[in-house]
Amino acid sequence: MLGQLLAKKTDFAPVDAGNEPSLRRTLGPWGLTALGIGAVIGGGIFVITGQAAAEHAGPAVLLSFIIAAVCCSFTALCYAEFATLIPMSGSSYSYAYATLGEFAAWFIGWNMVLEYGVSASAVAVSWTGYFTSFLDHFGVHLPAQLTNAPLAFQDNHLVATGAFINLPAVVMILLLTWLCYVGIRESSGANTAMVALKVALIVIVIIAGSRYVDTANWHPFIPEAQGPEKYGWGGIMRAATLVFFAYIGFEATSTAAQEAKNPQRDLPIGTLASLAICTILYIGMAAVLTGLIPYTELGTSEPVVTAVKAHPQLDWLRWLVEIGAMIGLASVVLVMIIAQPRIFMIMGRDGMLPPVFAKIHPRYRTPHINTLITGAGIALLAAIFPLDILGDLVSMGTLIAFVAVCLGVLILRRTRPELPRTFRVPAATLTCTLGVLSCLVLLYWENWYNWSLMGLWTLLGLVIYFGYGYRHSKLRAQA
């Protein structure tokens, strides 16, 4: 049994689906970069920036973004090397299968459901807030019962809110699911258009807002500590774990490896370029927000709107902010609906999930059944759960996957040094080690409640693996 759990895949070529249709290769470096930016820029820049500054770091939230970016940059280099070695759509699941064994691969793949599926639900919930605020301009007020989750988390237990369903989030998710169902070319084209528009809007906000920055709001840059996680360096580190959520998704480019025209060349470009662009935009937005108003006033659900409203000269920006937020959040959900089904597809081909998960539509050449399952699951979570519950597990699952990827590069350098690598992690031993340590540091700052939720999620994954995946693994059948 132990041998089965540690069994590794040695064939690094994309899985042959036999007579089944294959995915269509249509994505170049710009499409992949847009895919990464589309996954990253969303809830982080429009929601979490203000909350992290107000509650934890103050103006030093800029340092929090830099710390989180450094952690992600180590991992991005590792993803880039893996992408040239294993051009498959399973992302860190496939990488773990090749280096750490089947059980670790399942564990990583199961955690990736948190990164893509659950995080998409959390972002969709945030989208509803900006959507209803936008409708207010036209005198349209949707009933609270149809725009809020029926459940909330208070005093360590779930309570009913009196609402029925978060209907706008559900409708948005189902429309994007249909777009992903009909083809990667169509959904990628829509994503590229949304990315171009939201990046342009963010740049406008940064340039226009910088004219009204009061540098007095940046002093003291690191507020005096008022507790272990409120201001001071402890607050900066706690804020780093929050804003890390804002970077989740840059590696989504690797899930589209089998739809890239030249994955060995284009995947490293897409991964690293998307991370660099997003980091610059995040730091610029954080500097402007904390300069427009005192950081203590940014702890709202719409911090960008809050900062803009404080300056009558910038009132015209409020429309752009709300439109940009809706576009940005929707593009994140779109990329997550693209990414998650492709991970399910690879797991289905490996026998870790039922064969239906490996099906590809004969006309649209998409994993259509997975797309429907993913869209329905994301819509269900967004319909009934609030943002705080959905967001608790996402960062933890992603950090664990990042640790596996950094370790995997080191392992494969020792076990398969002869494999051709068109991109190599510079100073691999140092870079990968720092990547692992930085992820572990951020995990250390998670609280006990998040760890307990992670334990329950892991237990559910173990039940599914030993109940189905272990017995139907194709690697086991070949042994």
Side-chain angles (χ1 to χ4, degrees), residues 197-221:
L197 185 55
K198 73 179 178 181
V199 169
L201 291 174
I202 290 169
V203 171
I204 290 173
V205 171
I206 293 174
I207 294 175
S210 63
R211 299 174 56 192
Y212 300 94
V213 165
D214 182 358
T215 56
N217 290 326
W218 290 338
H219 301 285
F221 185 69

Side-chain angles (χ1 to χ4, degrees), residues 69-87:
V70 169
C71 173
C72 291
S73 64
F74 294 136
T75 311
L77 292 170
C78 296
Y79 268 100
E81 177 167 324
F82 260 131
T84 67
L85 283 171
I86 310 175

Side-chain angles (χ1 to χ4, degrees), residues 93-108:
Y93 161 78
S94 295
Y95 307 157
Y97 215 154
T99 57
L100 302 176
E102 181 177 286
F103 180 74
W106 169 264
F107 179 67
I108 298 303

